[in-house]
Amino acid sequence: MKYVVEHEGEEIELEVQETEDGGYSVLRDGRAILADFKKIEGSRIFSLIVQNKSFEVLIRQDGDLVDIVNHGRGLKLRVESERERNARLIAGEGGSTDGESIKAVMPGIVVAVNVAEGDEVTSGQAVCVLEAMKMENEIRSSVIGKVLKVAVAAGQTVNAGDLLVEIGPPE
Amino acid sequence: MFDKVLIANRGEIAVRVIRACRALGMKAVMVYSTADRLSRAVLMADEAYCIGEPEARKSYLDGDKILAVAKACGAGAIHPGYGFLSENAAFARKVEEAGIAFVGPNATAIDAMGDKINSRHAMMKAKVPVIPGIERPSFTKEELAAAAKEIGYPVMLKATAGGGGKGIRIVHQEKDLWSAYERSVGESEKAFGNGTVFVEKAVEGPHHIEFQIFGDKHGNAVHLFERECSVQRRHQKVVEESPSPFMTPELREKMGVAAVKAAQAIGYDNAGTVEFLVDKHRNFYFLEVNTRLQVEHPITELVVGVDLVVEQLRVAAGAKLSFTQEELKQTGHAIELRICAEDPDNNYLPDIGRIESVILPDGPGVRLDSALAAGTEVTLHYDPMLAKLIAWGHDRSEAIGRLKQALTEFKISGLKTNIPFLGDILRDSRFIEGVYDTSFLEGFEKPPLRQDVLEAAIVAAVLFRHVEGGAGMKLVSSGGKGLDPWKSYGRVRGARRL
C-alpha cells in the first residue's frame, strides 16, 4: 500500500509491504527499510526496530495529523494513503469520508443528474442541478465517497427534505 | 517535633511533603477534593479527609474547613506546600492562633512581603538594591526629563495599574521621552482607567536569579545559593538550574549577603526565596520574596545536600537551623524541567484527560518529583504541571546529559505534554553553552532532528496509519448510516451555497 507523508512542506512517498515474518518492508526512494513494529498494549507506545535500531515511540492521532514523540523529540506528520491524497487534490480541499445524504433544502425541479450509482465522488463535485426560485443551483457533495443511491431523475419535482443522492464511504 | 502533619495541598508537592513527614517518623494527613480521591497523595497518606468539590475555593482554598480538620484530627502542624493558601497571611495567623504550627514564615513576614510597595520600601531600608524608580501622580515635561536623567537611560515607563504589557515603553534617549510618556498615559487610561505612569530603570538582558533563604525562630538566617530561572514563558518558569551559568563568585557573595539581609529585615523564620533581576552588566535588583517552599526547591537540595522540607518541619517545631552559612557548599550542578500537560504547538494550551499509562524515568543522578500514575485524571481545576524531572551531575554538561536521557525514557500516554518541547530546549546551542537570559524562549526555534530519529518517526507514522487506520478510516467504520441529520443538513447547505 502506498502512502504520502508530509513533513514541513516536503512530501515523502512510501510503500508499505507486509513481510512473511509479521514485519514490514517500507520502500522509500527505491530503498527498502525493514521494520518490526509492535504496539505496547494498554498504551500509545509502539516499539519500532528498523534495521536493528530500536526506537520507543509515542504515537497519537491528532485530528488529521499524526503526533509522534520519538527519542524525546516531537513532530507532527500528515499521513495519507495515495488514493486519499489524490481524492483530496482533485477536490482541491480536504473532505470527509463518512458519507452523507444529500437532500433538497427547498422545493424545485431536478434539471440534471450528474452521477450514477457506484460513481466515486470527491468533495465539492456537483451531483445534480436543481431549479428553484428560477435559479439553477448545482448541488455538490461535501464528502469524498461512492454514490450508493440516486433517488431522483431529471425533470422530477421535489419537495424540501426529499432525498436526492445518498453517498457512502469510499471503498 | 510533631506527631502528625496536615498537608493542605495536592499533586506532586503533597507527595513530596508526605515523604519528608515519613522520613521524620511523623504521620501525614491529607485533605482532598472529590477530584483527587484516587490521587497518589491520598493513597500514600496515613489519614485522608475529603473537604469538598474540585473547584479550589470549595476545597483547597477553604482555610476554615482545613483548619477544622486539623483540629479534629489532632495535627500539630499544617504544611501549605506552594500556591493555594501558602502565602495567605490571614490563614497562617488563624492556624497559629489555634495552637497549630504553620510550616512557613510567621504571618507578619508574609504580610510584609505581600505588598509590592511595602516590600520595596522594606528592602530599601535594609540596603538591598531595588530597581531605581520615581513615582508621582503625574509628571511635567521638565520633571520627567529630570527623573529619567537621575535614574539613567534606558528607562522604562510603566503604568501603576499595569499588566499584560500595556502602558509600558522603553526609552533610550531624552528626545523620545515625552512622546513615549504621553502614549503610555493614554494607553493605560484606556486599558485600566488610570493614567498614572512611573519611571523605572530598564533592566537590559535580564536574568531571573533567585536565592534560597532559610531562617529560624532564634534569629538565624542563611542562604542556600542561587537558582537560575531565566527560561520562562509568559513569566512562567520552564527550566531552572543551580548554580547559574551567569554567576560569578563575587556576584554570588554580594547577592547572598543581600538575600540574608532581606530575610533578616522582615524577621523571616522558615524557607523562602528572594527573587532578583540581574542585568547584562551583572547589576542586581530585588524583585520580591516568595514566602513559601518554591516549586524548584529540588535543584537546591541536590546541589547543597539539604532536605529543605525536613528542615522546614524541624524549624516550624522550634528547632535551630541545622547548618550555618559556613557549612553550606555547592557541589555539582542540577537542572529541573517542569513537565506539563500542554501542547506547545498549540499556543501551550493545557491538555486534559486520563493518563493511560506512564513509564517513569530513572538512572544515576535522576530525581522525579511527581504524583503520576496510570488512571490519574488531569482536569482543568488545577495546575497543568504533572511532574518535575531533575538531574544532578558533577558538572553542568553531565547534568544535561543525564536529563536528556531521562527525558527520552519518560513516556506519558493519554494526553499531550511538553516533553518534546523540553527536549528541544536541552538541545538548543544557547542553552548548552549556558548563554541565555529571560528572552530565551521568544522566537525559539526547534533545533534540527537527528536524521535517524526523523526517519524512524516517519516510518512509525506510516506503519501506525497502516495498522490502525487514520482519522478518516475510523470515521468510516462508525459513520456512514447513522449520520446526525442536522450535521448533514449543515454540510449540504454549506456545499450548495443556495
Side-chain angles (χ1 to χ4, degrees), chain A residues 30-65:
Chain A
R31 183 166 51 97
I33 304 164
L34 292 175
D36 183 358
F37 187 68
K38 298 265 192 303
K39 184 174 187 172
I40 311 298
E41 283 310 320
S43 75
R44 298 186 200 212
I45 300 165
F46 293 79
S47 166
L48 174 71
I49 299 181
V50 272
Q51 268 129 357
N52 300 104
K53 284 193 174 182
S54 175
F55 296 92
E56 194 182 11
V57 194
L58 192 58
I59 311 178
R60 58 184 272 164
Q61 189 78 41
D62 184 15
D64 58 350
L65 298 177

PDB file of all heavy atoms in Angstrom, chain A residues 30-65:
ATOM      1  N   GLY A  30      13.117   3.827  -3.514  1.00  0.00           N
ATOM      2  CA  GLY A  30      13.713   2.597  -4.010  1.00  0.00           C
ATOM      3  C   GLY A  30      14.505   1.821  -2.973  1.00  0.00           C
ATOM      4  O   GLY A  30      15.034   0.746  -3.258  1.00  0.00           O
ATOM      5  N   ARG A  31      14.598   2.370  -1.747  1.00  0.00           N
ATOM      6  CA  ARG A  31      15.344   1.719  -0.680  1.00  0.00           C
ATOM      7  C   ARG A  31      14.355   0.999   0.230  1.00  0.00           C
ATOM      8  O   ARG A  31      13.338   1.577   0.619  1.00  0.00           O
ATOM      9  CB  ARG A  31      16.083   2.814   0.109  1.00  0.00           C
ATOM     10  CG  ARG A  31      16.968   2.371   1.222  1.00  0.00           C
ATOM     11  CD  ARG A  31      17.858   3.562   1.644  1.00  0.00           C
ATOM     12  NE  ARG A  31      17.068   4.774   1.901  1.00  0.00           N
ATOM     13  CZ  ARG A  31      16.686   5.156   3.117  1.00  0.00           C
ATOM     14  NH1 ARG A  31      17.003   4.449   4.178  1.00  0.00           N
ATOM     15  NH2 ARG A  31      15.986   6.278   3.295  1.00  0.00           N
ATOM     16  N   ALA A  32      14.622  -0.245   0.576  1.00  0.00           N
ATOM     17  CA  ALA A  32      13.713  -0.995   1.436  1.00  0.00           C
ATOM     18  C   ALA A  32      14.171  -0.864   2.887  1.00  0.00           C
ATOM     19  O   ALA A  32      15.305  -1.180   3.224  1.00  0.00           O
ATOM     20  CB  ALA A  32      13.675  -2.454   1.031  1.00  0.00           C
ATOM     21  N   ILE A  33      13.274  -0.349   3.739  1.00  0.00           N
ATOM     22  CA  ILE A  33      13.588  -0.235   5.164  1.00  0.00           C
ATOM     23  C   ILE A  33      12.828  -1.365   5.859  1.00  0.00           C
ATOM     24  O   ILE A  33      11.602  -1.406   5.814  1.00  0.00           O
ATOM     25  CB  ILE A  33      13.121   1.130   5.714  1.00  0.00           C
ATOM     26  CG1 ILE A  33      13.751   2.277   4.907  1.00  0.00           C
ATOM     27  CG2 ILE A  33      13.450   1.252   7.192  1.00  0.00           C
ATOM     28  CD1 ILE A  33      13.074   3.622   5.096  1.00  0.00           C
ATOM     29  N   LEU A  34      13.554  -2.285   6.472  1.00  0.00           N
ATOM     30  CA  LEU A  34      12.905  -3.403   7.149  1.00  0.00           C
ATOM     31  C   LEU A  34      12.524  -2.968   8.559  1.00  0.00           C
ATOM     32  O   LEU A  34      13.361  -2.462   9.305  1.00  0.00           O
ATOM     33  CB  LEU A  34      13.843  -4.610   7.196  1.00  0.00           C
ATOM     34  CG  LEU A  34      14.104  -5.240   5.822  1.00  0.00           C
ATOM     35  CD1 LEU A  34      15.129  -6.347   5.933  1.00  0.00           C
ATOM     36  CD2 LEU A  34      12.804  -5.751   5.206  1.00  0.00           C
ATOM     37  N   ALA A  35      11.246  -3.149   8.882  1.00  0.00           N
ATOM     38  CA  ALA A  35      10.765  -2.635  10.157  1.00  0.00           C
ATOM     39  C   ALA A  35       9.948  -3.667  10.903  1.00  0.00           C
ATOM     40  O   ALA A  35       9.109  -4.349  10.326  1.00  0.00           O
ATOM     41  CB  ALA A  35       9.919  -1.385   9.923  1.00  0.00           C
ATOM     42  N   ASP A  36      10.215  -3.746  12.203  1.00  0.00           N
ATOM     43  CA  ASP A  36       9.399  -4.571  13.095  1.00  0.00           C
ATOM     44  C   ASP A  36       8.651  -3.566  13.978  1.00  0.00           C
ATOM     45  O   ASP A  36       9.275  -2.749  14.656  1.00  0.00           O
ATOM     46  CB  ASP A  36      10.330  -5.472  13.918  1.00  0.00           C
ATOM     47  CG  ASP A  36       9.550  -6.415  14.821  1.00  0.00           C
ATOM     48  OD1 ASP A  36       8.305  -6.344  14.827  1.00  0.00           O
ATOM     49  OD2 ASP A  36      10.197  -7.211  15.524  1.00  0.00           O
ATOM     50  N   PHE A  37       7.328  -3.598  13.951  1.00  0.00           N
ATOM     51  CA  PHE A  37       6.518  -2.556  14.578  1.00  0.00           C
ATOM     52  C   PHE A  37       5.470  -3.204  15.468  1.00  0.00           C
ATOM     53  O   PHE A  37       4.620  -3.943  14.988  1.00  0.00           O
ATOM     54  CB  PHE A  37       5.855  -1.742  13.464  1.00  0.00           C
ATOM     55  CG  PHE A  37       5.103  -0.526  13.926  1.00  0.00           C
ATOM     56  CD1 PHE A  37       5.764   0.556  14.464  1.00  0.00           C
ATOM     57  CD2 PHE A  37       3.717  -0.454  13.779  1.00  0.00           C
ATOM     58  CE1 PHE A  37       5.074   1.689  14.858  1.00  0.00           C
ATOM     59  CE2 PHE A  37       3.019   0.675  14.166  1.00  0.00           C
ATOM     60  CZ  PHE A  37       3.698   1.763  14.706  1.00  0.00           C
ATOM     61  N   LYS A  38       5.552  -2.967  16.777  1.00  0.00           N
ATOM     62  CA  LYS A  38       4.623  -3.613  17.711  1.00  0.00           C
ATOM     63  C   LYS A  38       4.069  -2.601  18.702  1.00  0.00           C
ATOM     64  O   LYS A  38       4.783  -1.727  19.178  1.00  0.00           O
ATOM     65  CB  LYS A  38       5.366  -4.692  18.511  1.00  0.00           C
ATOM     66  CG  LYS A  38       5.942  -5.830  17.673  1.00  0.00           C
ATOM     67  CD  LYS A  38       4.980  -6.991  17.632  1.00  0.00           C
ATOM     68  CE  LYS A  38       5.614  -8.260  17.072  1.00  0.00           C
ATOM     69  NZ  LYS A  38       6.176  -8.121  15.730  1.00  0.00           N
ATOM     70  N   LYS A  39       2.789  -2.771  19.017  1.00  0.00           N
ATOM     71  CA  LYS A  39       2.171  -1.876  19.994  1.00  0.00           C
ATOM     72  C   LYS A  39       2.335  -2.434  21.403  1.00  0.00           C
ATOM     73  O   LYS A  39       2.233  -3.646  21.601  1.00  0.00           O
ATOM     74  CB  LYS A  39       0.680  -1.738  19.681  1.00  0.00           C
ATOM     75  CG  LYS A  39      -0.024  -0.750  20.593  1.00  0.00           C
ATOM     76  CD  LYS A  39      -1.468  -0.494  20.193  1.00  0.00           C
ATOM     77  CE  LYS A  39      -2.028   0.631  21.064  1.00  0.00           C
ATOM     78  NZ  LYS A  39      -3.361   1.068  20.631  1.00  0.00           N
ATOM     79  N   ILE A  40       2.620  -1.564  22.374  1.00  0.00           N
ATOM     80  CA  ILE A  40       2.627  -1.979  23.775  1.00  0.00           C
ATOM     81  C   ILE A  40       1.179  -1.845  24.243  1.00  0.00           C
ATOM     82  O   ILE A  40       0.641  -0.731  24.306  1.00  0.00           O
ATOM     83  CB  ILE A  40       3.536  -1.072  24.642  1.00  0.00           C
ATOM     84  CG1 ILE A  40       4.916  -0.881  23.993  1.00  0.00           C
ATOM     85  CG2 ILE A  40       3.647  -1.613  26.068  1.00  0.00           C
ATOM     86  CD1 ILE A  40       5.743  -2.117  23.810  1.00  0.00           C
ATOM     87  N   GLU A  41       0.542  -2.949  24.544  1.00  0.00           N
ATOM     88  CA  GLU A  41      -0.892  -2.926  24.872  1.00  0.00           C
ATOM     89  C   GLU A  41      -1.177  -2.019  26.072  1.00  0.00           C
ATOM     90  O   GLU A  41      -0.375  -1.925  26.997  1.00  0.00           O
ATOM     91  CB  GLU A  41      -1.396  -4.346  25.143  1.00  0.00           C
ATOM     92  CG  GLU A  41      -1.611  -5.166  23.870  1.00  0.00           C
ATOM     93  CD  GLU A  41      -2.444  -4.447  22.794  1.00  0.00           C
ATOM     94  OE1 GLU A  41      -3.439  -3.758  23.155  1.00  0.00           O
ATOM     95  OE2 GLU A  41      -2.087  -4.556  21.608  1.00  0.00           O
ATOM     96  N   GLY A  42      -2.331  -1.370  26.025  1.00  0.00           N
ATOM     97  CA  GLY A  42      -2.739  -0.508  27.128  1.00  0.00           C
ATOM     98  C   GLY A  42      -2.037   0.835  27.124  1.00  0.00           C
ATOM     99  O   GLY A  42      -2.110   1.571  28.109  1.00  0.00           O
ATOM    100  N   SER A  43      -1.355   1.152  26.042  1.00  0.00           N
ATOM    101  CA  SER A  43      -0.676   2.440  25.968  1.00  0.00           C
ATOM    102  C   SER A  43      -0.709   2.918  24.522  1.00  0.00           C
ATOM    103  O   SER A  43      -1.259   2.252  23.658  1.00  0.00           O
ATOM    104  CB  SER A  43       0.780   2.299  26.414  1.00  0.00           C
ATOM    105  OG  SER A  43       1.531   1.658  25.402  1.00  0.00           O
ATOM    106  N   ARG A  44      -0.125   4.063  24.276  1.00  0.00           N
ATOM    107  CA  ARG A  44       0.043   4.531  22.895  1.00  0.00           C
ATOM    108  C   ARG A  44       1.503   4.459  22.507  1.00  0.00           C
ATOM    109  O   ARG A  44       1.990   5.224  21.699  1.00  0.00           O
ATOM    110  CB  ARG A  44      -0.472   5.958  22.766  1.00  0.00           C
ATOM    111  CG  ARG A  44      -1.949   6.032  23.087  1.00  0.00           C
ATOM    112  CD  ARG A  44      -2.520   7.391  22.844  1.00  0.00           C
ATOM    113  NE  ARG A  44      -3.759   7.510  23.588  1.00  0.00           N
ATOM    114  CZ  ARG A  44      -4.796   8.239  23.187  1.00  0.00           C
ATOM    115  NH1 ARG A  44      -4.728   8.899  22.072  1.00  0.00           N
ATOM    116  NH2 ARG A  44      -5.879   8.307  23.909  1.00  0.00           N
ATOM    117  N   ILE A  45       2.188   3.546  23.143  1.00  0.00           N
ATOM    118  CA  ILE A  45       3.615   3.389  22.878  1.00  0.00           C
ATOM    119  C   ILE A  45       3.820   2.239  21.905  1.00  0.00           C
ATOM    120  O   ILE A  45       3.189   1.181  22.017  1.00  0.00           O
ATOM    121  CB  ILE A  45       4.381   3.127  24.187  1.00  0.00           C
ATOM    122  CG1 ILE A  45       4.183   4.307  25.156  1.00  0.00           C
ATOM    123  CG2 ILE A  45       5.862   2.901  23.917  1.00  0.00           C
ATOM    124  CD1 ILE A  45       4.575   4.013  26.574  1.00  0.00           C
ATOM    125  N   PHE A  46       4.667   2.465  20.933  1.00  0.00           N
ATOM    126  CA  PHE A  46       4.989   1.444  19.942  1.00  0.00           C
ATOM    127  C   PHE A  46       6.489   1.200  19.965  1.00  0.00           C
ATOM    128  O   PHE A  46       7.275   2.128  20.148  1.00  0.00           O
ATOM    129  CB  PHE A  46       4.580   1.921  18.541  1.00  0.00           C
ATOM    130  CG  PHE A  46       3.089   2.046  18.365  1.00  0.00           C
ATOM    131  CD1 PHE A  46       2.405   3.141  18.866  1.00  0.00           C
ATOM    132  CD2 PHE A  46       2.363   1.058  17.699  1.00  0.00           C
ATOM    133  CE1 PHE A  46       1.032   3.258  18.713  1.00  0.00           C
ATOM    134  CE2 PHE A  46       0.996   1.168  17.538  1.00  0.00           C
ATOM    135  CZ  PHE A  46       0.318   2.268  18.043  1.00  0.00           C
ATOM    136  N   SER A  47       6.835  -0.058  19.766  1.00  0.00           N
ATOM    137  CA  SER A  47       8.253  -0.376  19.632  1.00  0.00           C
ATOM    138  C   SER A  47       8.551  -0.530  18.152  1.00  0.00           C
ATOM    139  O   SER A  47       7.881  -1.282  17.447  1.00  0.00           O
ATOM    140  CB  SER A  47       8.571  -1.669  20.374  1.00  0.00           C
ATOM    141  OG  SER A  47       9.862  -2.106  19.962  1.00  0.00           O
ATOM    142  N   LEU A  48       9.547   0.198  17.698  1.00  0.00           N
ATOM    143  CA  LEU A  48       9.939   0.125  16.298  1.00  0.00           C
ATOM    144  C   LEU A  48      11.409  -0.292  16.239  1.00  0.00           C
ATOM    145  O   LEU A  48      12.257   0.357  16.834  1.00  0.00           O
ATOM    146  CB  LEU A  48       9.751   1.490  15.622  1.00  0.00           C
ATOM    147  CG  LEU A  48      10.253   1.606  14.182  1.00  0.00           C
ATOM    148  CD1 LEU A  48       9.369   0.809  13.226  1.00  0.00           C
ATOM    149  CD2 LEU A  48      10.301   3.067  13.745  1.00  0.00           C
ATOM    150  N   ILE A  49      11.644  -1.394  15.557  1.00  0.00           N
ATOM    151  CA  ILE A  49      13.044  -1.768  15.314  1.00  0.00           C
ATOM    152  C   ILE A  49      13.268  -1.703  13.812  1.00  0.00           C
ATOM    153  O   ILE A  49      12.640  -2.438  13.051  1.00  0.00           O
ATOM    154  CB  ILE A  49      13.359  -3.167  15.888  1.00  0.00           C
ATOM    155  CG1 ILE A  49      13.133  -3.165  17.417  1.00  0.00           C
ATOM    156  CG2 ILE A  49      14.795  -3.571  15.567  1.00  0.00           C
ATOM    157  CD1 ILE A  49      13.428  -4.474  18.106  1.00  0.00           C
ATOM    158  N   VAL A  50      14.059  -0.716  13.396  1.00  0.00           N
ATOM    159  CA  VAL A  50      14.369  -0.585  11.967  1.00  0.00           C
ATOM    160  C   VAL A  50      15.825  -0.931  11.748  1.00  0.00           C
ATOM    161  O   VAL A  50      16.708  -0.279  12.286  1.00  0.00           O
ATOM    162  CB  VAL A  50      14.092   0.841  11.412  1.00  0.00           C
ATOM    163  CG1 VAL A  50      12.682   0.969  10.938  1.00  0.00           C
ATOM    164  CG2 VAL A  50      14.445   1.910  12.398  1.00  0.00           C
ATOM    165  N   GLN A  51      16.028  -1.929  10.915  1.00  0.00           N
ATOM    166  CA  GLN A  51      17.393  -2.406  10.660  1.00  0.00           C
ATOM    167  C   GLN A  51      18.189  -2.510  11.970  1.00  0.00           C
ATOM    168  O   GLN A  51      19.286  -1.984  12.092  1.00  0.00           O
ATOM    169  CB  GLN A  51      18.073  -1.495   9.631  1.00  0.00           C
ATOM    170  CG  GLN A  51      17.869  -2.042   8.236  1.00  0.00           C
ATOM    171  CD  GLN A  51      17.336  -1.013   7.258  1.00  0.00           C
ATOM    172  OE1 GLN A  51      17.044   0.127   7.608  1.00  0.00           O
ATOM    173  NE2 GLN A  51      17.185  -1.429   6.012  1.00  0.00           N
ATOM    174  N   ASN A  52      17.540  -3.146  12.945  1.00  0.00           N
ATOM    175  CA  ASN A  52      18.140  -3.400  14.260  1.00  0.00           C
ATOM    176  C   ASN A  52      18.390  -2.154  15.105  1.00  0.00           C
ATOM    177  O   ASN A  52      19.020  -2.236  16.153  1.00  0.00           O
ATOM    178  CB  ASN A  52      19.434  -4.213  14.127  1.00  0.00           C
ATOM    179  CG  ASN A  52      19.155  -5.557  13.476  1.00  0.00           C
ATOM    180  OD1 ASN A  52      19.450  -5.746  12.300  1.00  0.00           O
ATOM    181  ND2 ASN A  52      18.528  -6.448  14.199  1.00  0.00           N
ATOM    182  N   LYS A  53      17.894  -0.990  14.673  1.00  0.00           N
ATOM    183  CA  LYS A  53      17.927   0.175  15.556  1.00  0.00           C
ATOM    184  C   LYS A  53      16.585   0.235  16.271  1.00  0.00           C
ATOM    185  O   LYS A  53      15.542   0.189  15.622  1.00  0.00           O
ATOM    186  CB  LYS A  53      18.136   1.462  14.758  1.00  0.00           C
ATOM    187  CG  LYS A  53      19.562   1.654  14.297  1.00  0.00           C
ATOM    188  CD  LYS A  53      19.740   3.077  13.806  1.00  0.00           C
ATOM    189  CE  LYS A  53      21.186   3.349  13.467  1.00  0.00           C
ATOM    190  NZ  LYS A  53      21.370   4.741  13.036  1.00  0.00           N
ATOM    191  N   SER A  54      16.614   0.349  17.602  1.00  0.00           N
ATOM    192  CA  SER A  54      15.392   0.268  18.392  1.00  0.00           C
ATOM    193  C   SER A  54      14.901   1.665  18.793  1.00  0.00           C
ATOM    194  O   SER A  54      15.656   2.487  19.287  1.00  0.00           O
ATOM    195  CB  SER A  54      15.679  -0.567  19.645  1.00  0.00           C
ATOM    196  OG  SER A  54      14.554  -0.566  20.481  1.00  0.00           O
ATOM    197  N   PHE A  55      13.613   1.913  18.564  1.00  0.00           N
ATOM    198  CA  PHE A  55      13.003   3.194  18.944  1.00  0.00           C
ATOM    199  C   PHE A  55      11.720   2.907  19.717  1.00  0.00           C
ATOM    200  O   PHE A  55      10.935   2.055  19.315  1.00  0.00           O
ATOM    201  CB  PHE A  55      12.666   4.030  17.706  1.00  0.00           C
ATOM    202  CG  PHE A  55      13.872   4.435  16.910  1.00  0.00           C
ATOM    203  CD1 PHE A  55      14.317   3.645  15.852  1.00  0.00           C
ATOM    204  CD2 PHE A  55      14.577   5.577  17.228  1.00  0.00           C
ATOM    205  CE1 PHE A  55      15.428   4.009  15.114  1.00  0.00           C
ATOM    206  CE2 PHE A  55      15.694   5.953  16.498  1.00  0.00           C
ATOM    207  CZ  PHE A  55      16.124   5.170  15.435  1.00  0.00           C
ATOM    208  N   GLU A  56      11.522   3.644  20.805  1.00  0.00           N
ATOM    209  CA  GLU A  56      10.284   3.550  21.573  1.00  0.00           C
ATOM    210  C   GLU A  56       9.511   4.829  21.262  1.00  0.00           C
ATOM    211  O   GLU A  56       9.956   5.921  21.602  1.00  0.00           O
ATOM    212  CB  GLU A  56      10.652   3.469  23.060  1.00  0.00           C
ATOM    213  CG  GLU A  56       9.540   3.054  23.952  1.00  0.00           C
ATOM    214  CD  GLU A  56       9.982   3.059  25.420  1.00  0.00           C
ATOM    215  OE1 GLU A  56      11.061   3.584  25.722  1.00  0.00           O
ATOM    216  OE2 GLU A  56       9.226   2.557  26.250  1.00  0.00           O
ATOM    217  N   VAL A  57       8.382   4.668  20.577  1.00  0.00           N
ATOM    218  CA  VAL A  57       7.722   5.838  20.001  1.00  0.00           C
ATOM    219  C   VAL A  57       6.318   6.004  20.576  1.00  0.00           C
ATOM    220  O   VAL A  57       5.557   5.036  20.655  1.00  0.00           O
ATOM    221  CB  VAL A  57       7.624   5.698  18.462  1.00  0.00           C
ATOM    222  CG1 VAL A  57       7.255   7.030  17.825  1.00  0.00           C
ATOM    223  CG2 VAL A  57       8.925   5.179  17.876  1.00  0.00           C
ATOM    224  N   LEU A  58       6.009   7.237  20.974  1.00  0.00           N
ATOM    225  CA  LEU A  58       4.660   7.560  21.444  1.00  0.00           C
ATOM    226  C   LEU A  58       3.903   8.137  20.249  1.00  0.00           C
ATOM    227  O   LEU A  58       4.355   9.100  19.636  1.00  0.00           O
ATOM    228  CB  LEU A  58       4.791   8.590  22.571  1.00  0.00           C
ATOM    229  CG  LEU A  58       3.606   8.924  23.433  1.00  0.00           C
ATOM    230  CD1 LEU A  58       3.067   7.680  24.122  1.00  0.00           C
ATOM    231  CD2 LEU A  58       4.035   9.930  24.500  1.00  0.00           C
ATOM    232  N   ILE A  59       2.766   7.527  19.897  1.00  0.00           N
ATOM    233  CA  ILE A  59       2.042   7.976  18.699  1.00  0.00           C
ATOM    234  C   ILE A  59       0.576   8.214  19.039  1.00  0.00           C
ATOM    235  O   ILE A  59      -0.055   7.393  19.698  1.00  0.00           O
ATOM    236  CB  ILE A  59       2.091   6.924  17.562  1.00  0.00           C
ATOM    237  CG1 ILE A  59       3.530   6.447  17.337  1.00  0.00           C
ATOM    238  CG2 ILE A  59       1.518   7.501  16.270  1.00  0.00           C
ATOM    239  CD1 ILE A  59       3.660   5.381  16.273  1.00  0.00           C
ATOM    240  N   ARG A  60       0.055   9.344  18.592  1.00  0.00           N
ATOM    241  CA  ARG A  60      -1.388   9.554  18.716  1.00  0.00           C
ATOM    242  C   ARG A  60      -1.920  10.302  17.518  1.00  0.00           C
ATOM    243  O   ARG A  60      -1.230  11.111  16.902  1.00  0.00           O
ATOM    244  CB  ARG A  60      -1.742  10.273  20.014  1.00  0.00           C
ATOM    245  CG  ARG A  60      -1.094  11.620  20.188  1.00  0.00           C
ATOM    246  CD  ARG A  60      -1.438  12.198  21.525  1.00  0.00           C
ATOM    247  NE  ARG A  60      -2.675  12.964  21.458  1.00  0.00           N
ATOM    248  CZ  ARG A  60      -3.371  13.324  22.525  1.00  0.00           C
ATOM    249  NH1 ARG A  60      -3.001  12.957  23.721  1.00  0.00           N
ATOM    250  NH2 ARG A  60      -4.453  14.051  22.409  1.00  0.00           N
ATOM    251  N   GLN A  61      -3.174   9.983  17.183  1.00  0.00           N
ATOM    252  CA  GLN A  61      -3.848  10.684  16.106  1.00  0.00           C
ATOM    253  C   GLN A  61      -4.286  12.031  16.642  1.00  0.00           C
ATOM    254  O   GLN A  61      -4.904  12.113  17.692  1.00  0.00           O
ATOM    255  CB  GLN A  61      -5.061   9.861  15.657  1.00  0.00           C
ATOM    256  CG  GLN A  61      -5.723  10.366  14.405  1.00  0.00           C
ATOM    257  CD  GLN A  61      -4.941   9.976  13.157  1.00  0.00           C
ATOM    258  OE1 GLN A  61      -4.446   8.865  13.053  1.00  0.00           O
ATOM    259  NE2 GLN A  61      -4.834  10.904  12.218  1.00  0.00           N
ATOM    260  N   ASP A  62      -3.960  13.102  15.946  1.00  0.00           N
ATOM    261  CA  ASP A  62      -4.342  14.434  16.403  1.00  0.00           C
ATOM    262  C   ASP A  62      -5.049  15.121  15.246  1.00  0.00           C
ATOM    263  O   ASP A  62      -4.414  15.727  14.395  1.00  0.00           O
ATOM    264  CB  ASP A  62      -3.083  15.191  16.841  1.00  0.00           C
ATOM    265  CG  ASP A  62      -3.413  16.563  17.414  1.00  0.00           C
ATOM    266  OD1 ASP A  62      -4.594  16.793  17.734  1.00  0.00           O
ATOM    267  OD2 ASP A  62      -2.501  17.381  17.539  1.00  0.00           O
ATOM    268  N   GLY A  63      -6.373  14.992  15.202  1.00  0.00           N
ATOM    269  CA  GLY A  63      -7.123  15.497  14.046  1.00  0.00           C
ATOM    270  C   GLY A  63      -6.687  14.735  12.816  1.00  0.00           C
ATOM    271  O   GLY A  63      -6.649  13.510  12.846  1.00  0.00           O
ATOM    272  N   ASP A  64      -6.283  15.436  11.765  1.00  0.00           N
ATOM    273  CA  ASP A  64      -5.836  14.710  10.579  1.00  0.00           C
ATOM    274  C   ASP A  64      -4.309  14.577  10.559  1.00  0.00           C
ATOM    275  O   ASP A  64      -3.721  14.237   9.541  1.00  0.00           O
ATOM    276  CB  ASP A  64      -6.375  15.355   9.290  1.00  0.00           C
ATOM    277  CG  ASP A  64      -5.948  16.807   9.169  1.00  0.00           C
ATOM    278  OD1 ASP A  64      -5.417  17.353  10.162  1.00  0.00           O
ATOM    279  OD2 ASP A  64      -6.148  17.394   8.099  1.00  0.00           O
ATOM    280  N   LEU A  65      -3.670  14.845  11.703  1.00  0.00           N
ATOM    281  CA  LEU A  65      -2.222  14.683  11.774  1.00  0.00           C
ATOM    282  C   LEU A  65      -1.865  13.531  12.713  1.00  0.00           C
ATOM    283  O   LEU A  65      -2.658  13.150  13.569  1.00  0.00           O
ATOM    284  CB  LEU A  65      -1.576  15.973  12.289  1.00  0.00           C
ATOM    285  CG  LEU A  65      -1.763  17.213  11.424  1.00  0.00           C
ATOM    286  CD1 LEU A  65      -1.133  18.417  12.100  1.00  0.00           C
ATOM    287  CD2 LEU A  65      -1.152  17.019  10.038  1.00  0.00           C
TER     288      LEU A  65
END
